């Protein structure tokens, strides 16, 4: 039977793994999948490149793990359903942009055209966003509603990345946030398909 791993060694291994993931997240967000090299990630993390292979295997596995550690839409689905639109609108248009969420968005945006990365992005999008949101929305049209909401949220995020204030004064941003909340809530709570009644 192998001797147990010393606590200090386990802590060091966990810290090294976390440092690699953090460095990889930043590199993938900044340069995309194709332009990111494992030696660059290792240098950013302050470790030997061989440790990436030890902990993750290769670049494909590291990329998938970075996505797996990214935030999920589930954190917004635990509270009152009626307040979902307001919570999401504030996150998108008012609150300081979350660095982890922004990095995840940039990773997907800059890597989506890569044949090697695109499948991992599709799996992550389905697992972390569409499946939990569809289950929460309910109804036969949940997949379509979830994708409409995705379009709204990604559009709002992109606009804010380009123009942090949406080129609006404070009153305009308040009105935008209110309308954004109403739009999101409509697809969550009030959406109707023509001739089909309430979703």
């Amino acid at each position: 039977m192998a001797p147990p791993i010393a606590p200090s060694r386990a802590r060091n291994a966990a810290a090294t793994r976390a440092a690699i993931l953090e460095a990889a997240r930043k590199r993938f967000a900044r340069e995309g999948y194709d332009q990111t090299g494992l030696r660059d990630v290792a240098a950013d993390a302050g470790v030997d490149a061989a440790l990436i292979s030890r902990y993750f295997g290769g670049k494909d596995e590291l990329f998938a793990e970075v996505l797996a550690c990214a935030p999920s839409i589930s954190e917004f689905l635990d509270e009152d359903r009626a307040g979902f639109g307001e919570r999401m609108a504030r996150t998108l248009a008012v609150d300081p942009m979350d660095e982890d969420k922004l990095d995840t968005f940039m990773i997907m945006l800059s890597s989506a055209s890569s044949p090697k990365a695109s499948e991992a992005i599709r799996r992550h999008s389905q697992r972390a966003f569409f499946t939990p949101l569809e289950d929460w929305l309910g109804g036969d049209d949940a997949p379509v509603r979830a994708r409409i909401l995705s379009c709204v949220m990604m559009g709002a995020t992109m606009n804010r990345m380009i123009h942090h204030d949406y080129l609006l004064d404070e009153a305009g941003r308040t009105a935008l946030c209110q309308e954004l909340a109403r739009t999101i809530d409509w697809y969550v709570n009030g959406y109707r398909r023509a001739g089909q009644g309430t979703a």
Side-chain angles (χ1 to χ4, degrees):
M1 181 175 178
I5 298 174
S8 60
R9 184 177 174 187
R11 284 196 298 272
N12 289 339
T16 298
R17 192 176 188 279
I20 293 170
L21 282 171
E22 175 71 9
R25 178 169 61 86
K26 291 297 183 186
R27 277 281 177 174
F28 286 132
R30 190 166 63 246
E31 301 178 3
Y33 176 89
D34 288 337
Q35 300 304 313
T36 295
L38 293 185
R39 290 185 181 278
D40 295 326
V41 173
D44 293 346
V47 302
D48 190 283
L51 287 176
I52 295 180
S53 297
R54 179 185 302 177
Y55 288 116
F56 300 99
K59 189 163 79 167
D60 289 356
E61 293 82 3
L62 178 60
F63 185 78
E65 186 64 19
V66 167
L67 291 178
C69 294
S72 167
I73 190 68
S74 297
E75 67 183 83
F76 290 95
L77 308 180
D78 293 335
E79 299 178 43
D80 179 25
R81 185 185 183 97
F84 177 80
E86 182 179 353
R87 294 195 304 275
M88 185 57 67
R90 287 195 60 82
T91 297
L92 294 169
V94 178
D95 294 342
M97 297 188 81
D98 183 277
E99 186 176 343
D100 288 355
K101 293 184 178 70
L102 184 58
D103 280 349
T104 302
F105 184 82
M106 289 304 301
I107 288 169
M108 294 192 292
L109 194 64
S110 61
S111 303
S113 62
S114 169
K116 286 193 173 183
S118 60
E119 185 55 38
I121 293 171
R122 288 172 64 87
R123 287 195 301 269
H124 167 74
S125 298
Q126 190 66 52
R127 175 190 60 80
F129 187 88
F130 290 118
T131 294
L133 185 55
E134 289 168 23
D135 291 344
W136 183 74
L137 288 170
D140 293 340
D141 54 5
V144 172
R145 292 158 67 202
R147 279 149 186 82
I148 294 172
L149 287 168
S150 172
C151 291
V152 172
M153 294 173 194
M154 292 182 75
T157 300
M158 181 66 73
N159 271 275
R160 193 173 180 193
M161 288 171 61
I162 296 171
H163 304 296
H164 70 91
D165 59 357
Y166 292 98
L167 301 180
L168 294 170
D169 59 18
E170 185 174 354
R173 292 194 300 274
T174 298
L176 182 146
C177 187
Q178 291 170 345
E179 291 302 320
L180 186 58
R182 276 194 279 268
T183 299
I184 292 170
D185 270 335
W186 191 75
Y187 285 105
V188 170
N189 298 308
Y191 181 70
R192 287 171 171 78
R193 298 180 62 180
Q196 301 267 330
T198 303

